[in-house]
Amino acid sequence: MNLFYNKNGVGDVLMVTIDPATENLEYAYQNDITIIKSESNIVGFNIFNASKYVQLEGSGNIKIQEKHISSIQDLLEKNNINYKLEVDLSPKFVVGYVTEKTKHPDADKLSVCQVDVDNGTLQIVCGAPNIDQGQKVVVAKVGAVMPSGMLIKDAELRGVPSTGMICSMKELDLEGAPKEKGIMVLDDSYTVGTPFFEDER
């Protein structure tokens, strides 16, 4: 789930994206809530007069907190909208360790990596030329929202399932990002499974 709020640019509207679908959208209206559907599935809500219902700080992509989920769920129930928000609040950008790297069976420039994130191993297809076994890396888990606004989802790349993304400095919008392509390799001071960004703790 992604929350976007920009009162100066858009008005007092909270945009709740559950699934970033862009085709076959349908809209239903219930008081201050616009329900957005794609092929009969709810993919998002626009909440008007949002500051009346949800405590919001800042502008742009909003870091989701328990208070946001609780307020939005309460608003849905009061408007007789039968939808249960299911949100994983665990950190989405974590330190991972590449335990195994193999060649993609159907793409010369892709590698299939097994990445330990402490509470499990993720299979991630990566196209970076500098990816290798034994590296500590930054992993954007499913549900992460990149600085570009892209939502990380389960994917399949050339027939191979991929869960999450191994990130470059540029993708993380970090200062001093090199121009050449490649993932960010961390030093040994980082602990596998811990949040990469301090404000995710």
Side-chain angles (χ1 to χ4, degrees):
M1 190 170 88
N2 183 37
L3 301 181
F4 183 87
Y5 183 73
N6 183 345
K7 190 171 185 178
N8 293 332
V10 181
D12 193 11
V13 182
L14 177 63
M15 301 177 188
V16 182
T17 303
I18 297 164
D19 183 350
T22 57
E23 297 181 354
N24 305 318
L25 296 181
E26 302 171 4
Y27 302 89
Y29 306 93
Q30 186 78 5
N31 298 318
D32 278 337
I33 304 173
T34 298
I35 305 165
I36 306 168
K37 295 183 177 182
S38 176
E39 298 177 351
S40 299
N41 295 317
I42 293 178
V43 296
F45 303 98
N46 286 344
I47 300 173
F48 294 85
N49 301 307
S51 58
K52 285 171 50 179
Y53 308 111
V54 185
Q55 185 181 341
L56 298 163
E57 301 89 20
S59 181
N61 287 318
I62 303 295
K63 178 176 164 49
I64 302 174
Q65 300 176 45
E66 186 63 50
K67 64 179 182 180
H68 299 137
I69 300 167
S70 178
S71 297
I72 296 168
Q73 188 68 61
D74 185 54
L75 181 63
L76 295 178
E77 290 172 4
K78 286 180 178 177
N79 283 274
N80 298 312
I81 298 171
N82 185 21
Y83 187 86
K84 176 68 174 175
L85 295 171
E86 295 182 359
V87 183
D88 177 10
L89 292 178
S90 65
K92 295 297 181 289
F93 295 91
V94 299
V95 177
Y97 180 78
V98 182
T99 59
E100 184 181 330
K101 170 197 161 187
T102 57
K103 188 176 176 298
H104 190 291
D106 194 33
D108 290 340
K109 294 185 178 181
L110 296 178
S111 300
V112 181
C113 302
Q114 306 301 321
V115 186
D116 178 16
V117 290
D118 190 42
N119 61 345
T121 298
L122 303 177
Q123 177 170 286
I124 301 176
V125 178
C126 180
N130 64 327
I131 186 72
D132 208 351
Q133 184 174 319
Q135 292 173 334
K136 287 184 178 180
V137 296
V138 183
V139 175
K141 296 167 68 178
V142 169
V145 179
M146 302 301 293
S148 66
M150 179 178 71
L151 177 67
I152 301 299
K153 301 169 64 177
D154 279 318
E156 194 170 286
L157 300 176
R158 301 289 289 271
V160 176
S162 182
T163 301
M165 184 172 81
I166 300 173
C167 303
S168 69
M169 290 182 68
K170 184 177 181 181
E171 288 163 336
L172 295 170
D173 198 25
L174 298 177
E175 289 186 15
K179 292 183 179 179
E180 60 270 13
K181 291 183 178 181
I183 51 98
M184 182 180 185
V185 180
L186 304 174
D187 61 39
D188 285 339
S189 66
Y190 289 86
T191 301
V192 172
T194 58
F196 178 70
F197 292 114
E198 288 293 329
D199 62 359
E200 280 208 294
R201 291 185 184 279

